[in-house]
Amino acid sequence: MSQFKWKDLTKLKNPNLAFESPLSVLCHIDVNCFYAQVEAIRCGYTKDDPVVCVQWNSIVAVSYAARKYGISRMVTIQEALKKTDKLIPIHTAVFKKGEDFWQYHDGWGPWNPDKDKKLPSSDYKISLDPYRRESRKIFKIFTEYCDLAEKASVDEVFLDIARLCLQSLMGSEQLIPGRENPEIIKPMQAKFKDESYEGNEFLPAVPEELKQLPFIGDVYNPENLPLIEDWDDVLFALGSRIAQELRDEIKQSLGYTTSCGLASTKNVCKLASNFKKPDAQTIIKNSCVNAFLDNGKFEITTFWSLGGILGKELIQILQLPQQGSNRYVREKWPTRDSLRTSLSKAVRDSQSTPSTVIDATRTNEIADKLYDLVRGQYRVAVTPQTIVKSMMANKNMTGQACSGLADCFSWLEVFAGELAGRVHELEQEYDKVIRPRTIHVLIRAKSGDTHSKSGPFIQSGAKINSQDLLKAGAKLIAELDAKFARGKEHSFYPLININMSISNLDVADGRKSVLDMFGNQASVQVRQGKGNVGKDSLASNAHKPPRENWCDECNKTFETSRDFQEHADFHIAVALSEKVNGANGSSGRLTFGEKRLLMRSNTLETPNKRRSKPKSKTAGSSSDIFKYFKKG
DNA sequence: TACTCACAG
DNA sequence: GGCTGTGAGTA
């Protein structure tokens, strides 16, 4: 007989409850050295090319080919180049000071002998937009396959694949290729469908034939136990096949290799996906989870959210060993209550070294969490993605890079363009209208003195606009300048940090107009006359079109690539809209490929919503903004 | 609203 | 160890 009950199995049907079941099947997928892969794919390199992604002088992502030369994250590019001249450094995209669009400058970076191609951080700001874009494409594939996906970061996702596993087990599919399904499956399927059944009986034993189900990937099994003993193992085996298929799809359509961890809880999944890299998947069966957590590589501080001060304080206050802490906690506190009691007592008794982060009113909560974590039983739901709650554009500086109000305005111009662009992209993705209600700026002087100011953000129109953001931000900065720098004996400048953020995001339903769904990706591909969705759209960077910003159709050159891009989008949007509307005798219907293109497309301006006036584009022009604030 | 802290890749 | 974030807490 199984150790699980029917209701454990039927609970998996409900995405809101599945994570609580002991038969829960989750996975965590992590794109390997994400920034490096993005750059490698964009520039047409393969996995065997030693690409590194560079940010100023630092290497922020290292391809596996480059790791073979002993290059790791956070070494300087100068040091890395000493190790091998084969290295392929690619700098992130950047905004130039005073400009509101980003660009790649391939070949530029601190290693470039040309003085004008070194990308000094005093004149540029990093753009992470390309990674957010790729991230969205990847995430979209996950949500197409899986009914419950959580975006954990730009390169990570949690999936609840229980329904997909059930579909395999309880559908009509042949479970083991080339063999009849065991006889017991048919009646099980019937019972499974019976909604009135409460499910208090135990499941039958797993039939011998089913124990031959293969796993795809590496099963963590140091003691060589039988791979399949109960139904949780059956579901994991099916899940491993599903995870492989998902990852294959990501690889095939977008080119990215990933690492995956399968387990019953998010925390264990996360550790498992990190266990073997790159391009691998690790399965942690429930019967092996304690052995996995005790394998010598993990401590309680390895768990997500315990990596900082909280984890260290728990070790301190509970007097845990530096090594083998998971097992120690399991064995010393065999019941929930015993750990609750010990922790609350320990917090009370630690007056001499008072805890800075363990809230005395919440010790039970923390004790329960720890109790479950060390057993691989801390069950947290996979929560579907929510729209971000705030957005920040930030710039750190050294030296004299920001030594006055004019410099501040130049950076604000960058921030305003960046944030407006990001809001546009979000609107596109969700087909929503997003209005930030609050704007916030912060400056930090070399002394460490920090000042910030926030206020309501009121747009001039229906859609967010970088001019409005710039004005609102500049007003706040000017107030800070007047308050803290004007007429003071020692000036506040130079700054080491300045940032602007928007929050209180108001989200309303998007408009239904098809035209509103057009965007850069679609335009780029249509312009090229073909539709390879993934790589092309990024490689032919929409922000940096070829041939001098020249429009053949209008016989006209545009000053900046961004202006050109908007113009080009105009043509594309009109062309597609004519097709949809049946103009020029066309069918009036988009092909499946075009629809899919539009579904995946990113942003931005549409013909009737374009900015009336092109933006200023030189650093000097931003001083025009002074006219708004002559009076402080 | 102003500011600080914790945590993560 | 640099950079770029997100979110929570406090007064």
Side-chain angles (χ1 to χ4, degrees), chain A residues 360-495:
Chain A
T361 66
R362 287 190 359 187
T363 57
N364 282 353
E365 195 183 313
I366 295 173
D368 286 355
K369 180 170 170 177
L370 183 62
Y371 180 89
D372 287 331
L373 276 175
V374 298
R375 289 168 172 78
Q377 299 270 35
Y378 184 59
R379 298 185 185 278
V380 180
V382 173
T383 52
Q385 195 199 19
T386 50
I387 292 187
V388 291
K389 292 178 181 158
S390 72
M391 259 185 232
M392 176 170 71
N394 182 68
K395 173 67 189 168
N396 293 335
M397 285 156 298
T398 56
Q400 303 295 312
C402 189
S403 51
L405 193 53
D407 286 332
C408 289
F409 287 158
S410 297
W411 288 117
L412 284 185
E413 198 160 355
V414 172
F415 297 162
E418 174 173 357
L419 292 175
R422 286 173 60 187
V423 170
H424 277 307
E425 293 211 350
L426 271 192
E427 289 181 323
Q428 173 64 36
E429 182 178 3
Y430 293 100
D431 190 24
K432 301 278 185 191
V433 176
I434 299 172
R435 286 194 187 89
R437 299 299 190 191
T438 309
I439 182 168
H440 189 97
V441 297
L442 179 142
I443 54 182
R444 189 189 308 259
K446 197 162 7 180
S447 64
D449 286 2
T450 303
H451 297 287
S452 68
K453 192 151 180 60
S454 44
F457 176 65
I458 297 155
Q459 296 176 192
S460 64
K463 272 188 90 112
I464 193 166
N465 160 305
S466 68
Q467 282 292 327
D468 289 346
L469 281 172
L470 174 59
K471 275 194 226 176
K475 183 168 181 291
L476 295 173
I477 285 279
E479 285 167 19
L480 288 177
D481 177 87
K483 190 166 171 188
F484 297 106
R486 269 308 117 90
K488 297 288 184 290
E489 60 282 12
H490 64 276
S491 167
F492 197 73
Y493 302 99
L495 303 182

Side-chain angles (χ1 to χ4, degrees), chain A residues 75-88:
Chain A
V75 305
T76 67
I77 185 61
Q78 293 85 355
E79 288 168 51
L81 282 167
K82 281 181 207 157
K83 296 194 176 188
T84 171
D85 57 359
K86 302 251 175 36
L87 199 67
I88 303 167

Side-chain angles (χ1 to χ4, degrees), chain A residues 487-530:
Chain A
K488 297 288 184 290
E489 60 282 12
H490 64 276
S491 167
F492 197 73
Y493 302 99
L495 303 182
I496 59 169
N497 174 263
I498 175 169
N499 75 51
M500 176 159 100
S501 64
I502 50 180
S503 55
N504 247 319
L505 269 30
D506 202 84
V507 182
D509 274 339
R511 298 128 305 175
K512 301 284 179 259
S513 157
V514 182
L515 211 58
D516 288 325
M517 295 179 61
F518 294 148
N520 279 345
Q521 255 186 69
S523 359
V524 169
Q525 283 154 21
V526 173
R527 190 184 310 138
Q528 291 172 338
K530 57 181 171 198

Side-chain angles (χ1 to χ4, degrees), chain A residues 47 95 104 127 139 185 200 207 229 231 242 270 294-295 326 334 377 395 436 459 517 520 564 573 593 598 619:
Chain A
K47 68 171 178 50
F95 292 88
Y104 275 106
S127 171
F139 191 69
I185 291 290
N200 286 318
E229 295 180 298
W231 290 101
I242 289 157
K270 171 111 174 141
D294 294 346
N295 79 3
N326 291 328
Q377 299 270 35
K395 173 67 189 168
Q459 296 176 192
M517 295 179 61
N520 279 345
F564 171 80
L598 294 178

